[in-house]
Amino acid sequence: MEALGDSQLLYNMDVDVGYMNDHYVARNGDILILSSFKPEVIEDLLHDGAGLVMVILTDVHHKELTIKDDNSCGLCTMQMGDSIQYLNGKLMQSSLNQSQRHAVIAIISAVCCKHSNLVKLIWGPAGTGKTKTVSTTLWALKSLKFRTLMCSPTNISVAGVCHRYLQAFKDFNGHADKDGLPCSLGDIVLFGNKYKMDITEEIQEVLLDYRVDELGKCFSSSSGWKHRINSVFSILENYDSEHNMLPGDNGHNGTLLLLDFRSQFYAVANNVKECILNLWIHLPRKCFSSEVKSNILDLLDLLKTMCGLLSRGCFSNGYAKTGFCLQSAEKIGSTKPISFAKEWVEARFRCLEKLKFLQSSFALPVDVGNSWQNNMGKITVGVVSPYNSQANAIKVRLGTKYDKCINFDVRVTSIDGFQGEEDDLTILSTVRSNSKGNIGFLSDNHRTNVALTRARCVAKRFV
């Protein structure tokens, strides 16, 4: 805020409303109250000693984004047709102002242009909603199935854009899809050092480190997706319906009470549900065909139904035993066990069908980190860095993690130590060792050539 000339009553005041939840639009004649503290209720403004200033707005100017090089390809924009109309409709429902919507559409038009390389620069002072515009643009690009890399010079801005992007993604798409499954975030990945970035709970699910940990549990041989599906399969298959026995009943003593069976089924059902939902959230959508998704929905619904049947507290153990077998239930002469048996037998049969389908249809790994099974035989990975210190640091972090892997070798070395060698895949660490940001050793073309040509499979080189 600054005074206009020598005036004691007129001031220029810039207000950043970009992060306000309630989108207030200032108009000439509005009255504002500036306070030295944040009041909780109106009565707080009446306290003695409260510093208050009343302000009357007289000349309001709204800041807007500016698009540098605002040239667009009319031909490609026309060819987009329905896509542009869909995006325009969604953007009109959002809280973006006209300049922000125009910026998003201008970027999309430039990206979709097939015969010109167009660069768009979105400029605006503080409070014009640049972060909001960028996050909405990322959502629009994802909707059109573009792969996009967003970079920023600071961790704070990366985390900020990621937070706003996820917010926009859920605002536009909903927190769950139309079938009730949670939002699939597998196509969104946040790279960065979790110890240096301000990782909040809202963006944690897309952080690469967190995702690796969550998927690692799902791919474990002892507790992963295959183990959990087999657990449900086993508990439904192993009871002897012909002899009216629950799992573990030997016909004399040690009868498995309904509560025991129910608690076991609840546990395995919740475990498989948790694992499947984790896979749905963290894997790319292309991992799930429409048929697989349909079977997942059916399975989750069946597990819920079966848990509901078991939760009927009026069943004694003997009642439950007959209830699991339709023929035995009919001998009792009561409609309750017959009704229960029919529902249970039908749900059990359908549930086993869905489990068998997912067992054969999930093209997902098992026992990741302990074995590597593939049709090509042995896989070798080389991790390369320009500096010995960085290579040694990577070796320390890896430790002996991959030493016992079958058909999977990892070696870490410097670029100079990699001359004349090759691996199936290479990972290049481009760390620098100076505060000025100079490229250092890699300014030598020969060294750069070695770093970039060590991968035997060109399409599988990672930098």
Side-chain angles (χ1 to χ4, degrees), residues 141-434:
L141 290 168
K142 185 180 185 306
S143 299
L144 296 174
K145 295 182 170 44
F146 285 102
R147 299 177 65 186
T148 309
L149 176 64
M150 197 289 293
C151 302
S152 181
T154 65
N155 288 326
I156 292 178
S157 57
V158 170
V161 171
C162 183
H163 174 77
R164 296 293 290 271
Y165 168 52
L166 289 177
Q167 192 177 55
F169 179 78
K170 292 176 180 178
D171 286 345
F172 284 114
N173 294 15
H175 291 262
D177 69 10
K178 61 182 180 181
D179 296 312
L181 288 172
C183 278
S184 174
L185 304 176
D187 294 319
I188 308 168
V189 183
L190 172 62
F191 297 91
N193 188 325
K194 63 180 179 180
Y195 301 107
K196 294 183 178 180
M197 300 177 73
D198 184 17
I199 301 298
T200 61
E201 187 176 345
E202 289 80 7
I203 65 175
Q204 177 179 253
E205 285 190 319
V206 297
L207 180 67
L208 180 61
D209 292 357
Y210 178 83
R211 178 161 292 165
V212 169
D213 292 339
E214 291 299 302
L215 289 178
K217 299 173 189 175
C218 296
F219 297 151
S220 167
S221 60
S222 59
S223 60
W225 68 271
K226 197 164 190 176
H227 170 81
R228 297 190 186 195
I229 287 179
N230 287 338
S231 296
V232 181
F233 199 94
S234 176
I235 199 171
L236 293 178
E237 280 280 299
N238 287 344
Y239 76 85
D240 189 352
S241 59
E242 184 178 349
H243 295 89
N244 301 333
M245 290 189 296
L246 294 176
D249 190 355
N250 58 16
H252 300 286
N253 52 29
T255 301
L256 182 62
L257 299 174
L258 170 62
L259 292 177
D260 295 329
F261 175 74
R262 184 165 62 187
S263 62
Q264 285 187 27
F265 185 79
Y266 282 175
V268 295
N270 286 332
N271 285 341
V272 77
K273 176 182 177 182
E274 178 187 23
C275 184
I276 288 177
L277 290 180
N278 257 344
L279 292 172
W280 175 262
I281 291 171
H282 293 293
L283 287 177
R285 284 296 298 271
K286 67 179 181 181
C287 294
F288 303 92
S289 65
S290 58
E291 189 177 11
V292 168
K293 179 183 176 181
S294 175
N295 276 269
I296 286 175
L297 289 166
D298 289 343
L299 176 63
L300 295 179
D301 187 55
L302 286 167
L303 291 174
K304 182 179 179 180
T305 299
M306 296 170 79
C307 287
L309 289 172
L310 292 175
S311 67
R312 296 177 182 176
C314 62
F315 295 137
S316 65
N317 188 50
Y319 183 95
K321 287 172 63 177
T322 55
F324 279 101
C325 178
L326 181 58
Q327 293 178 347
S328 299
E330 289 173 341
K331 294 177 182 178
I332 293 180
S334 171
T335 58
K336 286 186 178 180
I338 293 176
S339 174
F340 171 81
K342 286 182 177 179
E343 290 182 69
W344 176 265
V345 170
E346 181 183 352
R348 172 184 173 275
F349 176 77
R350 291 184 59 211
C351 188
L352 289 173
E353 275 192 329
K354 303 303 176 183
L355 290 169
K356 288 177 182 178
F357 175 83
L358 292 178
Q359 272 184 326
S360 60
S361 301
F362 267 161
L364 301 175
V366 178
D367 204 16
V368 171
N370 294 321
S371 64
W372 182 276
Q373 301 295 333
N374 64 85
N375 297 327
M376 297 184 296
K378 187 174 182 179
I379 294 290
T380 61
V381 178
V383 183
V384 190
S385 175
Y387 305 101
N388 288 324
S389 297
Q390 176 69 0
N392 292 333
I394 295 173
K395 287 180 182 178
V396 171
R397 291 292 295 271
L398 288 178
T400 59
K401 185 174 182 179
Y402 300 105
D403 288 357
K404 296 182 180 179
C405 291
I406 302 172
N407 293 331
F408 187 75
D409 284 346
V410 179
R411 61 170 169 172
V412 183
T413 184
S414 66
I415 292 176
D416 291 341
F418 211 52
Q419 290 202 29
E421 303 290 339
E422 268 190 343
D423 279 321
D424 295 312
L425 294 86
T426 59
I427 300 174
L428 174 61
S429 173
T430 55
V431 66
R432 295 189 298 265
S433 67
N434 60 84

